Amino acid sequence: MIAFALTNHGAWDIALIIGVVAALAVAALLLILVRTTDDIRRSVARLLDVAGSVAGNTGNIPQLEATAPVLGLIVEEAVVQDGYMNALTDGFGNGNGDR
């Protein structure tokens, strides 16, 4: 087995290289973190714009709950009016010209 004879100067060189590599790795990770947080910030800003539009579109939904009973009344009145129209037109328009 070959033993490496490392001088004090050589050990400092290795330690310095390891330190520089570690510092570059930390700098790269910080850069990735900054870019990611900027992307998140921009995404949230777009989301807030869309959320405002959605809130504007859905703001009237509670009013729709009052629509069903009114539609029921409209249908009831339409049935009554249809009955009146049938009563008025009974005997008319039987296709042979007779009344």
Side-chain angles (χ1 to χ4, degrees), residues 5-83:
L6 202 54
T7 64
N8 195 23
H9 182 68
W12 277 107
D13 288 342
I14 292 173
L16 183 61
I17 290 171
I18 291 172
V20 169
V21 169
L24 289 175
V26 168
L29 290 173
L30 283 174
L31 181 64
I32 291 170
L33 178 65
V34 168
R35 287 183 180 174
T36 302
T37 54
D38 190 47
D39 288 343
I40 291 170
R41 184 188 54 79
R42 281 187 268 121
S43 295
V44 168
R46 286 192 310 265
L47 179 63
L48 288 176
D49 290 341
V50 171
S53 299
V54 169
N57 291 338
T58 59
N60 296 324
I61 287 178
Q63 295 174 350
L64 290 175
E65 292 177 356
T67 305
V70 173
L71 289 176
L73 294 173
I74 291 172
V75 168
E76 289 175 11
E77 183 63 25
V79 169
V80 170
Q81 294 300 321
D82 185 53

